[in-house]
Amino acid sequence: MSGSSTVAIHADRGVQPSRAVAPPIYQTATFWADDAEQFTQAAVHRRGQGFYTRYGNPNHAQVAAVVAELEHTEAAMVTASGMAALTTAVLALVSAGDHVIGQQSTYGGTASVLLNLLPRLGVSITQVDQTDRAAFERALTPQTRLILVESPSNPLLQLTDLRAVADLARAHNVLTMADNTFATPINQRPADFGIDLVWHSATKYLNGHSDVSAGVLAGPAQLLDRIWDVAVLTGAVLGPIDAWLLLRGLRTLPLRMPRHNANGQALAEALHDHPAVTRVHYPGLASHPQHALAAGQMSGFGGVLAIELAGGFEAADAFLGRLRYARRSASLGGVESLAVHPASMWRGMLSEQQLSDSGVPPGLVRLAAGTEDTADLVDDVLAAADAVAAVPTTAQELAR
Ligand SMILES: *Cc1c(COP(=O)(O)O)cnc(C)c1O
């Protein structure tokens, strides 16, 4: 089998209906057929590429070929966003009366699918502490059909033992689905541990340039066919240009990830002992409570870390304001560093109760290290942390 860098550049070659070295953009909503027989064939071809773009397009098929080979799965498909991948799969795989297990620490959109969307459809849910292997088993019911995991989780960087969850699910005939957005197939391949379906916000590392919203699903062809049957109904189709940009981004994923990994590790180590910082959440630090699990199932730890500022909400906000390179933005995984203060982002979205249930402290900042020079990023975060540490508290000011 070829290495990831070769796969990212050549895995779609058999899919290309053209001899152009750079694949053309199939900017068409529909395709024509020679005769009735051909037309019928094209219409029933699941995840095909020559009937109608909502049903499939050559640019989709090229991305899918690369993602499937990178993730070590039989097949893959693309959607208009990461959330479209999740909701389409869930709508295809569960029905009223079923039960779904998810994590307490999980991406906000995933949490909302669990807490708001599924219960409205008559699907019951249980959220578990993913760091506790036994919690998944305790949550199983005879109605459980699906377990949704995310490792490392957004934004707390908690890990899930993928092999343990996959083994448990297989033994009970339950499907598993892993959000691999933070790790990417360069750092972790959930299918190698027995996870059935892998999904991504391809908006993040897979595309890598903060210029496309996209999602992917990877897994067995038969399972993806069931999901595709629903995808043509929900209609969350990726535009051909966006699929083409995503393919271009994928070409350099294996080159970009080692730099993201190195930058994430360097920032985590630099901030770990800083007096303004009480805690650094990063699976590559020996102090991460699940570092051994991380080292066992990941080959790199990614560019995202979360830090807790000693000064709480105000210090976190001030820290972001001092950063020169990382801009305040809700995404991650691009070549440019970004930072977000979840407590201020969620202020308008969540109630006080939901904020405290999220387990995300008010002084937490999520840093997504880009591919800039490591020394520049380290100098920048240290300067921001120094500045925050030096700001006198109101009490100190009053005492003067
Ligand atoms: C961003 C993100 C999503 C949602 O993906 P979109 O492409 O924004 O729909 C899902 N999971 C994780 C971990 C994410 O970071």
Side-chain angles (χ1 to χ4, degrees), residues 93-258:
L93 301 175
V94 301
S95 306
D98 291 345
H99 174 248
V100 172
I101 299 173
Q103 297 179 174
Q104 275 158 10
S105 174
T106 197
Y107 174 68
T110 306
S112 201
V113 166
L114 289 166
L115 292 168
N116 304 320
L117 185 66
L118 289 178
R120 269 209 293 117
L121 302 178
V123 176
S124 61
I125 66 113
T126 305
Q127 280 183 293
V128 300
D129 171 359
Q130 79 203 73
T131 65
D132 176 6
R133 280 188 197 90
F136 287 92
E137 183 153 22
R138 285 197 301 274
L140 278 176
T141 76
Q143 283 70 47
T144 308
R145 293 285 167 273
L146 180 65
I147 303 181
L148 296 177
V149 296
E150 179 182 324
S151 184
S153 70
N154 184 357
L156 288 174
L157 286 302
Q158 291 185 346
L159 266 66
T160 311
D161 186 330
L162 297 173
R163 193 186 300 278
V165 172
D167 287 350
L168 173 77
R170 290 259 156 117
H172 291 85
N173 241 328
V174 170
L175 287 171
T176 48
M177 193 168 156
D179 183 339
N180 204 30
T181 300
F182 269 35
T184 83
I186 305 306
N187 287 337
Q188 165 178 288
R189 291 186 174 99
D192 286 351
F193 301 106
I195 296 289
D196 296 304
L197 280 167
V198 179
W199 69 285
H200 283 265
S201 170
T203 313
K204 314 291 168 56
Y205 288 112
L206 297 194
N207 178 61
H209 295 77
S210 306
D211 51 10
V212 165
S213 275
V216 299
L217 281 154
Q222 220 188 351
L223 212 46
L224 292 178
D225 284 346
R226 274 171 69 190
I227 298 171
W228 179 88
D229 286 343
V230 174
V232 296
L233 303 180
T234 55
V237 56
L238 189 65
I241 289 183
D242 287 353
W244 184 89
L245 280 167
L246 174 53
L247 183 67
R248 159 173 288 212
L250 279 166
R251 302 291 195 215
T252 56
L253 176 72
L255 297 177
R256 288 183 278 112
M257 287 316 293

Side-chain angles (χ1 to χ4, degrees), residues 356-381:
S356 95
D357 286 351
S358 71
V360 175
L364 185 124
V365 167
R366 186 188 73 196
L367 289 171
T371 58
E372 299 94 336
D373 289 289
T374 309
D376 291 332
L377 294 185
V378 168
D379 287 352
D380 193 28
V381 296

